[in-house]
Amino acid sequence: MNTSVVITPTNPPKTGLNRIYFLDNLRATIIIIVVLFHSAIPYMIHAPNDWYVISAQKNIIFDIFVAINDVYMMPIMFLAAGYFALPSLRRKSFSSFWIDKTRRLIIPWIFGVIFLQPVIKYFRYLSRDNADMDLQTYLHLSFLGGSVSQGHFWFLGALALVFFGLSLLFLWKRPLFQQQSAKIKQPSALLFIVFGIITSLGFFVVSIISPDHTWEYIFSIVLVQPTRFVLYVCYFALGLYAYQNLWFTAQGYRPRLKTWLFPAIMCVVVFLLFKVTYPVSTTLWVKLANGFIHAFCCLCLVFALLGFFEKYLNFTSNLWDKLVANSFAFYFVHELFVVALGYLTINWSMPLSLKYLNVAILSIIISYVLCEHGIRRVSFLRKFF
């Protein structure tokens, strides 16, 4: 049976102008999860050695929480960015598009790296053996001495690079992106299988050259995890495809939670068992298995979350509007409070769960108040956030 819907002048696709609330709400929720994610890192048993503050109190629950959320958070953000990229490109010239991206991405990226990240990184020195090093000395010996860190601002640079690639492709192949699909078709299972295989192989091939979890610079400027960046580019491209084919609209494809939930749960179980059995990917076969497990776990989690939000959170309200409006500024400032509160509470004598909740909840509240009642009230700052 042909389930295609023909788009005619009297039956136009309702995308671009109408908000898709569940995508907005999912993006805002991912930013909250990022705060919970960063708040949990100090309490991991296998916390990264270069994290700003590492607690003596640890629990494997935080390792599991970080490992699972690390799989899907950024792919969702890049998929959403790809989905909303084409309407902006179509409305604007190349120059006006990049004037907007410079204001909304590149200037905040540079400002964050130069002015905020040194302060955030300073807590690493305070919590280690250099507690007597004042901020001025630290800036002189470390940051100004060449030890520049991008921290969570890497996302802005990576997203700007992907937008740059898209804008060049748009100039070169404009007709390819100019019109949406004339027919709306439900994607087949084969499409998702092929996408999963492509992302799996991309992850695997890059992991041979650059091991998973390592960070490297592109053009000596943009900081990325190469294995993950392959996924991000693929999900950005999937977002473009989804927009072109009217996914997430009333007529188009909308992920069903009951379709994706069980595969997502099974993938998470396999993913965790694999990480316990092979904590370090060494041989080619282990790297290959790691690529497939990570990529398919990511795929199922991303679409299970899309299905959940489409089913239960496809609406707006005053609170959701504020969370969505503040999400970018929220991401921009949150890590300063997460790290500062983690440092201030590091020696508190209390159950680890309460300490974590204190840091996470206070970071969310302070970041939200600063964004809603500070940044949004200043017209100059609103231009960038």
Side-chain angles (χ1 to χ4, degrees):
M1 182 175 65
N2 188 352
T3 59
S4 301
V5 176
V6 178
I7 302 301
T8 67
T10 58
N11 182 27
K14 296 181 179 180
T15 60
L17 294 178
N18 293 353
R19 283 178 58 186
I20 300 177
Y21 293 117
F22 81 89
L23 275 182
D24 284 339
N25 296 343
L26 178 55
R27 285 194 298 177
T29 301
I30 291 297
I31 302 302
I32 300 295
I33 294 174
V34 168
V35 179
L36 300 176
F37 175 91
H38 286 154
S39 299
I41 292 177
Y43 313 114
M44 296 169 58
I45 291 177
H46 302 98
N49 291 327
D50 60 348
W51 189 251
Y52 310 104
V53 178
I54 298 179
S55 172
Q57 293 175 276
K58 301 175 184 295
N59 192 294
I60 192 65
I61 294 297
F62 294 102
D63 294 69
I64 295 172
F65 176 79
V66 168
I68 294 173
N69 285 283
D70 186 46
V71 172
Y72 69 85
M73 292 188 305
M74 290 297 106
I76 285 178
M77 297 299 288
F78 277 89
L79 184 146
Y83 190 88
F84 293 113
L86 281 183
S88 179
L89 266 173
R90 289 171 178 171
R91 290 195 307 268
K92 302 174 181 178
S93 65
F94 183 87
S95 58
S96 62
F97 177 82
W98 273 103
I99 288 173
D100 180 65
K101 293 306 174 191
T102 299
R103 177 172 54 86
R104 299 287 302 274
L105 276 181
I106 295 178
I107 291 177
W109 173 37
I110 294 172
F111 181 89
V113 170
I114 293 177
F115 295 103
L116 283 186
Q117 185 56 26
V119 179
I120 295 171
K121 189 178 178 182
Y122 179 54
F123 285 99
R124 185 178 187 276
Y125 289 82
L126 290 178
S127 65
R128 304 303 204 275
D129 297 329
N130 300 295
D132 59 341
M133 183 185 295
D134 60 65
L135 182 58
Q136 182 178 356
T137 304
Y138 155 72
L139 290 174
H140 179 72
L141 296 179
S142 181
F143 182 73
L144 297 180
S147 180
V148 179
S149 170
Q150 294 199 19
H152 69 295
F153 300 110
W154 71 267
F155 172 61
L156 308 184
L159 188 57
L161 179 62
V162 174
F163 274 126
F164 183 68
L166 172 65
S167 60
L168 291 181
L169 188 61
F170 186 81
L171 284 178
W172 180 40
K173 295 287 187 180
R174 183 183 293 267
L176 183 66
F177 299 101
Q178 203 63 42
Q179 298 296 328
Q180 288 178 300
S181 175
K183 295 182 179 180
I184 299 177
K185 295 182 179 180
Q186 295 296 312
S188 66
L190 181 61
L191 184 146
F192 293 108
I193 293 172
V194 170
F195 181 80
I197 292 173
I198 290 172
T199 53
S200 300
L201 292 176
F203 191 106
F204 164 65
V205 170
V206 174
S207 71
I208 298 174
I209 305 168
S210 178
D212 193 18
H213 295 295
T214 58
W215 291 85
E216 295 184 16
Y217 281 96
I218 299 177
F219 306 126
S220 302
I221 298 174
V222 179
L223 183 65
V224 298
Q225 289 177 290
T227 52
R228 312 306 176 86
F229 189 63
V230 171
L231 294 184
Y232 303 157
V233 172
C234 289
Y235 275 89
F236 186 87
L238 184 62
L240 296 173
Y241 179 85
Y243 178 80
Q244 287 287 80
N245 289 275
L246 302 168
W247 288 14
F248 313 140
T249 64
Q251 306 99 327
Y253 170 66
R254 291 180 289 178
R256 302 179 69 182
L257 178 61
K258 67 179 182 180
T259 300
W260 289 98
L261 181 59
F262 181 72
I265 293 172
M266 293 304 298
C267 282
V268 167
V269 171
V270 173
F271 173 81
L272 293 175
L273 290 175
F274 182 82
K275 290 300 182 182
V276 171
T277 307
Y278 300 98
V280 179
S281 302
T282 52
T283 67
L284 283 181
W285 286 110
V286 173
K287 288 178 181 288
L288 179 62
N290 184 52
F292 270 80
I293 291 171
H294 187 107
F296 274 94
C297 187
C298 179
L299 177 64
C300 292
L301 283 172
V302 165
F303 278 87
L305 281 167
L306 286 168
F308 177 85
F309 273 74
E310 196 279 332
K311 183 177 179 64
Y312 295 109
L313 293 168
N314 194 17
F315 61 87
T316 190
S317 66
N318 186 49
L319 176 60
W320 278 115
D321 277 343
K322 289 182 178 180
L323 289 175
V324 170
N326 287 299
S327 58
F328 178 49
F330 197 104
Y331 179 86
F332 189 83
V333 304
H334 82 276
E335 195 152 292
L336 176 61
F337 304 114
V338 168
V339 174
L341 289 168
Y343 173 74
L344 292 174
T345 61
I346 193 170
N347 294 318
W348 282 13
S349 178
M350 63 166 50
L352 182 54
S353 58
L354 290 179
K355 183 182 292 189
Y356 166 73
L357 289 174
N358 268 288
V359 172
I361 293 174
L362 282 175
S363 297
I364 291 170
I365 292 173
I366 295 171
S367 298
Y368 175 79
V369 170
L370 175 63
C371 295
E372 174 64 21
H373 300 287
I375 293 174
R376 287 192 69 191
R377 308 296 178 182
V378 180
S379 59
F380 173 75
L381 294 178
R382 283 203 306 270
K383 296 178 182 179
F384 300 95
F385 297 100

